[in-house]
Amino acid sequence: MAKIELIDVAHEYQIGSGDYAVKDINITWNDGVSSALLGPSGCGKTTLLKIISGLLRPSEGTVLLDGEDVTGLSPQERNVAQVFQFPVVYETLSVFDNLAFPLRNRGANKQEVRERVHEIAEMLDLQDLLKKGASSLGAAEKQRISLGRGIVRKDTTAVLFDEPLTVIDPHMKWHLRRKLKELHARLGLTMVYVTHDQHEALTFAEQVTVMDVGEALQTGSPRALHTRPAAPFVGYFIGSPGMNLFDATLQDDGVMVGDLKLSYPSETLQGLGGKKLQVGIRPEFIEVRSDPDDGAIKSTVEAVNLTGSSLILDLAGKGLDFKVRVMEDADVNEGDTLYATFPDERVILYADGRAVKSTLKEAA
């Protein structure tokens, strides 16, 4: 097990180009924590994983494992295992021999190999497949073998997963995600899981880092990322649908969003002149009712969308278009008039892409 720290890490694939795949990365993954790197394709997730594993040396910055500088060490010297998007197995070997390979490569005796392989096979439901050839198995079984090879050595300090469920069918994805959580609880290994799928990240990890265009925008628990996204991209990328985001302009003692004025304490607005302002609120945090309410936004229902256990309403009012999530049995139809309220504590003000720490004092 290991604590992983990235300090001022940045990387250019072409040195001196100024085109950074990742930049200004400062992240700490504590010993034994399950973490995820979440973001769209091309945002730098895999580059970071290669830097942690030792497959890539960063152009700038330092990588620490349990406080030791390992920036220049090879993957073998770091004892970090990596499970890739496509299963990596020795097709000509049996499942047993695939699992045993890392142990034999380190000179383990036959008894140790046999006991450890059977222990890992039991954890991964591979006991009945140990004598089978790896080439005869499907993608899900092969990925379990890849995982087993990563954790079979007891000196493994961390396991890194690079989109490991991409080639797995939906039913088996659920099974393998559950198996990964069980393994983490049982072994207490430090795990870092890379994915573009928010559901995978938020259901697997205790700590999630959201990335975009090479930057780590926010690290926190799934709940923190959902309730208080530190950047508009985090709010938009997490959630289905994502956060409602509105361009805003500074005006006297508040900001204007469409035809709606949101009033803030004067100290909150200091220094915001000339910055790009946005206001965000999640669809599930907006309150709606059919009766008029002082201060509420009179809105027209533009569309009603059923999404399983809830309805997503497209509303328009006060010069704003926004989405609201309500219960699936709500009696609402296109063309209806609803009155929407943005609770003060749920509204987030952003300036140049970062949240302003404040709470509305009133909504008008």
Side-chain angles (χ1 to χ4, degrees):
M1 296 181 285
K3 177 181 180 180
I4 304 171
E5 296 174 87
L6 303 181
I7 302 173
D8 298 328
V9 166
H11 188 72
E12 299 172 282
Y13 280 101
Q14 185 176 349
I15 302 300
S17 67
D19 184 15
Y20 284 89
V22 294
K23 54 189 175 182
D24 301 325
I25 301 295
N26 288 277
I27 305 174
T28 297
W29 289 286
N30 288 319
D31 187 4
V33 171
S34 60
S35 303
L37 286 171
L38 172 65
S41 298
C43 73
K45 306 184 302 293
T46 297
T47 296
L48 268 192
L49 216 61
K50 290 179 178 178
I51 289 172
I52 297 167
S53 69
L55 293 173
L56 186 66
R57 180 164 185 166
S59 309
E60 304 168 22
T62 305
V63 181
L64 301 179
L65 289 181
D66 281 337
E68 178 187 354
D69 186 348
V70 298
T71 311
L73 298 186
S74 68
Q76 293 80 7
E77 293 171 303
R78 299 185 189 195
N79 289 333
V80 171
Q82 187 159 354
V83 179
F84 297 93
Q85 177 176 337
F86 297 97
V88 179
V89 299
Y90 297 110
E91 298 277 351
T92 58
L93 299 181
S94 68
V95 173
F96 183 98
D97 289 334
N98 265 281
L99 294 175
F101 186 87
L103 297 172
R104 291 169 174 164
N105 199 40
R106 289 295 181 101
N109 62 53
K110 289 184 178 181
Q111 179 69 12
E112 182 183 351
V113 169
R114 188 181 69 82
E115 290 179 356
R116 186 61 174 168
V117 166
H118 279 279
E119 182 183 357
I120 296 301
E122 183 271 327
M123 292 182 191
L124 294 169
D125 299 330
L126 291 171
Q127 307 97 310
D128 296 337
L129 302 177
L130 287 175
K131 294 182 180 180
K132 285 186 174 290
S135 61
S136 67
L137 303 178
E141 289 84 5
K142 289 180 180 179
Q143 196 62 295
R144 277 186 282 159
I145 297 171
S146 294
L147 174 57
R149 284 173 48 192
I151 64 175
V152 71
R153 282 172 37 208
K154 291 185 178 181
D155 62 348
T156 297
T157 56
V159 184
L160 313 178
F161 301 93
D162 190 2
E163 308 237 23
L165 304 184
T166 300
V167 297
I168 310 300
D169 70 68
H171 174 72
M172 287 308 300
K173 277 187 180 182
W174 180 86
H175 176 74
L176 285 179
R177 260 202 316 270
R178 182 172 59 84
K179 185 59 64 177
L180 285 176
K181 294 193 74 167
E182 289 175 2
L183 283 173
H184 179 260
R186 184 166 176 175
L187 300 175
L189 285 169
T190 303
M191 293 183 173
V192 181
Y193 189 106
V194 160
T195 181
H196 65 274
D197 185 323
Q198 61 167 303
H199 182 69
E200 285 186 13
L202 299 178
T203 55
F204 168 76
E206 303 164 72
Q207 172 183 296
V208 179
T209 297
V210 179
M211 295 189 65
D212 189 37
V213 292
E215 296 185 32
L217 299 177
Q218 185 177 0
T219 297
S221 68
R223 179 179 292 275
L225 295 178
H226 181 267
T227 57
R228 299 300 295 179
F233 179 84
V234 177
Y236 179 78
F237 193 75
I238 290 179
S240 181
M243 173 179 274
N244 293 295
L245 289 166
F246 314 107
D247 290 335
T249 56
L250 196 62
Q251 188 181 84
D252 300 326
D253 60 343
V255 297
M256 291 298 299
V257 182
D259 299 325
L260 178 69
K261 183 178 180 180
L262 304 176
S263 297
Y264 284 89
S266 58
E267 58 269 21
T268 298
L269 304 178
Q270 289 179 358
L272 298 188
K275 294 185 177 182
K276 179 183 178 180
L277 301 182
Q278 291 176 290
V279 165
I281 184 170
R282 289 204 175 276
E284 54 269 35
F285 294 159
I286 297 175
E287 300 170 359
V288 292
R289 56 187 301 171
S290 56
D291 300 324
D293 189 19
D294 289 342
I297 302 169
K298 184 179 180 181
S299 308
T300 301
V301 179
E302 301 283 321
V304 179
N305 307 288
L306 177 62
T307 61
S309 61
S310 61
L311 298 177
I312 304 299
L313 310 180
D314 291 343
L315 300 186
K318 283 275 190 177
L320 303 174
D321 295 311
F322 54 98
K323 295 183 183 297
V324 177
R325 183 188 295 275
V326 297
M327 298 299 293
E328 65 172 329
D329 59 355
D331 183 16
V332 61
N333 299 286
E334 290 185 16
D336 287 354
T337 297
L338 293 176
Y339 295 85
T341 301
F342 294 0
D344 294 358
E345 69 277 7
R346 298 298 195 178
V347 177
I348 302 177
L349 175 64
Y350 297 99
D352 286 347
R354 304 304 297 177
V356 177
K357 294 182 179 180
S358 66
T359 300
L360 286 171
K361 65 180 181 182
E362 62 179 337

